[in-house]
Amino acid sequence: MKQEILESYITYIFDFFQKSRCFKAGQGNMLRNFRFAAEKQFTRNQLGILYFLVNTLIDNGYLYLKDRDFIALTENGADVINGGECVIPKISLERTIYEKETSRSDIYEQLWNIIGSNKENDYAPLYVDGPLFYKRSSIN
């Protein structure tokens, strides 16, 4: 895992809340404002990683979505903003990339974007060496 990459994305996410003057639990901003700001700064692949980590922070209780278009801080998220430490969130790959309608090749591609390198993005937040990934993969 490239912890410094994860930390830089997480820092960006919490900086967005600080710049929006959100310091308390329940305070937040419209999700579209977050996306608009991120699209100015990140490539398409980087945006995928950023959104993946936003979902992971939601899953880990640092953020929550209200009415599907408002993203807000929880108590844990507010603690991070106010000087607390953010624990690197636990990532549920199965929950993140698997849906009943998703084909095995699509799951494989999504997983590779999270843990491997590709042409447009020479790093990944959870890097795993390519030969090891292919050797352990049961998808052909």
Side-chain angles (χ1 to χ4, degrees), residues 51-121:
Y51 299 151
F52 170 78
L53 288 172
V54 166
N55 286 328
T56 300
L57 288 170
I58 290 169
D59 290 344
N60 282 256
Y62 289 94
L63 306 173
Y64 70 94
L65 279 178
K66 182 178 178 182
D67 300 325
R68 298 180 52 117
D69 62 350
F70 186 81
I71 189 164
L73 297 168
T74 63
E75 277 297 325
N76 290 340
D79 288 347
V80 172
I81 296 280
N82 293 301
E85 197 170 319
C86 180
V87 176
I88 296 297
K90 293 180 182 178
I91 297 170
S92 171
L93 292 176
E94 181 179 359
R95 189 169 109 58
T96 302
I97 65 173
Y98 177 75
E99 294 177 15
K100 287 184 179 182
E101 300 82 32
T102 306
S103 71
R104 291 180 69 169
S105 61
D106 287 342
I107 291 171
Y108 185 82
E109 182 67 30
Q110 290 173 2
L111 184 58
W112 184 244
N113 287 334
I114 295 166
I115 68 168
S117 300
N118 60 44
K119 293 179 218 171
E120 299 172 23
N121 182 12

Side-chain angles (χ1 to χ4, degrees), residues 17-25 27 73 78-79 81-82:
F17 286 95
Q18 286 182 312
K19 290 174 184 173
S20 300
R21 299 190 169 300
C22 301
F23 302 101
K24 296 179 183 176
Q27 292 180 331
L73 297 168
D79 288 347
I81 296 280
N82 293 301

